[in-house]
Amino acid sequence: MKPVLLVIAHGSRDPRHAATVHALVRRVRSLRPDVRVETGFLDFNIPSVQGVLESLAAEGVRDVVALPLLLTRAFHAKADIPAVLRDAPPQLRIRQAEVLGPSPLLLSALERRLYEAGLTPSDKSSTGVVLASAGSTDPEAIAVIADIAREWRHTGWCAVRPAFASAALPRTEDAVRELRAVGCAKVAVAPYVLAPGFLPDRIARGAADADVLAGVLGPAPEVARVLLRRYDAAAARGLLRLTVSA
């Protein structure tokens, strides 16, 4: 049998977050009906990751791919999630998949959201884009966002600047002003976040002077495809941790 795919989301007090995660998981299930997909949250929402793992073990499931619903390898992917998985029932064999980003498919999803918000392909060469992420204290995660912005710029936009809602600079509003200053005819903000919540709302407030604010990535088909690619890669490789049932 194929390993169970356990999608691990951060969780939020904002009900839009869990609703968006569940919508994405439904799309994943529709693409791969041969794979069992479960959802667990690190905080705020239920079911918890630990609770899902215990339920799977009680059912007799043995193989699980744990997929962090994250766009960069920051603290949650490096510390929180591995710690939860180490406390899983010992009869489970668990592979931890890579985070979703970076991926060309995610850039396609970002452009989809910009066009849905009102831009057209003919606007591209005259539009500056703010790639607005949640932010992190992890230098690796910040560097990845900067790299994505540089890569995206080469696809034909007037300019692309990274911005962060927390923990790092510049803020969204500062990046909007910078793009105005370098002469972009239009400025658009593309939230590089998966679901609504406190930090995406901060990004939206920072986009007040932009011409276009795209929606979050959410259950975009490209996101679901990336998720399944990460699952397949993890399922095909050696186990992160193998424990044998007593």
Side-chain angles (χ1 to χ4, degrees), residues 154-180:
H154 295 314
T155 66
W157 296 102
C158 174
V160 180
R161 297 287 187 273
F164 308 95
S166 68
L169 296 174
R171 295 286 184 259
T172 302
E173 53 269 33
D174 299 325
V176 169
R177 284 193 291 269
E178 181 183 352
L179 290 171
R180 295 278 190 214

Side-chain angles (χ1 to χ4, degrees), residues 132-213:
S133 77
S136 173
T137 57
D138 189 314
E140 178 187 351
I142 298 302
V144 166
I145 300 301
D147 288 343
I148 293 170
R150 282 192 292 270
E151 177 183 348
W152 204 15
R153 164 68 181 85
H154 295 314
T155 66
W157 296 102
C158 174
V160 180
R161 297 287 187 273
F164 308 95
S166 68
L169 296 174
R171 295 286 184 259
T172 302
E173 53 269 33
D174 299 325
V176 169
R177 284 193 291 269
E178 181 183 352
L179 290 171
R180 295 278 190 214
V182 299
C184 296
K186 289 185 178 180
V187 175
V189 174
Y192 190 58
V193 294
L194 288 166
F198 177 75
L199 292 178
D201 284 349
R202 181 179 288 177
I203 289 171
R205 291 193 297 272
D209 291 332
D211 300 292
V212 172
L213 170 63

Side-chain angles (χ1 to χ4, degrees), residues 48-236:
S48 68
V49 176
Q50 187 67 27
V52 175
L53 291 171
E54 290 173 357
S55 294
L56 291 173
E59 289 180 32
V61 170
R62 290 297 176 264
D63 291 304
V64 177
V65 168
L67 191 147
L69 197 60
L70 301 168
L71 295 172
T72 60
R73 288 192 72 253
F75 181 80
H76 293 304
K78 294 177 179 179
D80 282 354
I81 291 174
V84 172
L85 298 181
R86 283 193 294 270
D87 289 337
Q91 61 266 42
L92 291 176
R93 297 184 291 263
I94 302 176
R95 302 165 175 90
Q96 181 176 330
E98 295 295 332
V99 298
L100 300 183
S103 167
L105 281 171
L106 294 178
L107 288 181
S108 296
L110 287 167
E111 294 208 9
R112 170 197 289 272
R113 293 301 188 224
L114 286 170
Y115 295 143
E116 289 171 349
L119 288 181
T120 67
S122 63
D123 294 321
K124 198 167 185 178
S125 63
S126 61
T127 300
V129 178
V130 178
L131 179 67
S133 77
S136 173
T137 57
D138 189 314
E140 178 187 351
I142 298 302
V144 166
I145 300 301
D147 288 343
I148 293 170
R150 282 192 292 270
E151 177 183 348
W152 204 15
R153 164 68 181 85
H154 295 314
T155 66
W157 296 102
C158 174
V160 180
R161 297 287 187 273
F164 308 95
S166 68
L169 296 174
R171 295 286 184 259
T172 302
E173 53 269 33
D174 299 325
V176 169
R177 284 193 291 269
E178 181 183 352
L179 290 171
R180 295 278 190 214
V182 299
C184 296
K186 289 185 178 180
V187 175
V189 174
Y192 190 58
V193 294
L194 288 166
F198 177 75
L199 292 178
D201 284 349
R202 181 179 288 177
I203 289 171
R205 291 193 297 272
D209 291 332
D211 300 292
V212 172
L213 170 63
V216 300
L217 292 171
E222 298 88 348
V223 178
R225 287 166 59 197
V226 174
L227 195 155
L228 285 168
R229 288 185 181 183
R230 300 293 185 257
Y231 166 80
D232 288 336

